[in-house]
Amino acid sequence: MKQLIQNIKQWLSRLSFRTGVIVLLCCVLCYILSFAQMALPISASAKSALWVVLFGLAKTFQYGGLTILGVEGVKRLKKRFKRR
């Protein structure tokens, strides 16, 4: 199992910086959708199910994006935000 996780991390770390940023933008979109769906006129159980799915996707995108970027990519991203 540990070997599988290492293989996945290595594969994700070979993806580009741009791909990592796109995955993190998907994360933000899922976070927004997970809370915006509360305004829909549907049952509470459907809202709960949607929230769980969308919030889970957001967390998956978050950790995937951070794994793709790595430490250096996060530093690079922070540097871009500090310039503005």
Side-chain angles (χ1 to χ4, degrees):
M1 188 66 167
K2 287 184 181 183
Q3 183 64 32
L4 177 66
I5 292 173
Q6 282 300 106
N7 289 342
I8 292 172
K9 282 183 181 180
Q10 285 178 345
W11 177 74
L12 286 175
S13 66
R14 281 184 267 150
L15 296 173
S16 70
F17 176 79
R18 185 176 182 178
T19 304
V21 172
I22 291 170
V23 171
L24 286 178
L25 289 175
C26 290
C27 163
V28 171
L29 179 65
C30 283
Y31 275 127
I32 291 169
L33 289 175
S34 71
F35 290 103
Q37 59 83 27
M38 293 295 178
L40 293 175
I42 54 178
S43 68
S45 59
K47 287 181 184 182
S48 298
L50 272 174
W51 185 83
V52 166
V53 169
L54 290 169
F55 197 77
L57 276 174
K59 283 295 183 185
T60 303
F61 282 133
Q62 178 183 355
Y63 293 131
L66 290 174
T67 304
I68 292 169
L69 289 178
V71 175
E72 293 302 317
V74 172
K75 287 180 184 177
R76 186 173 160 190
L77 199 58
K78 282 183 181 180
K79 189 185 289 185
R80 283 194 181 181
F81 280 114
K82 284 185 180 180
R83 277 192 227 155
R84 292 181 182 178

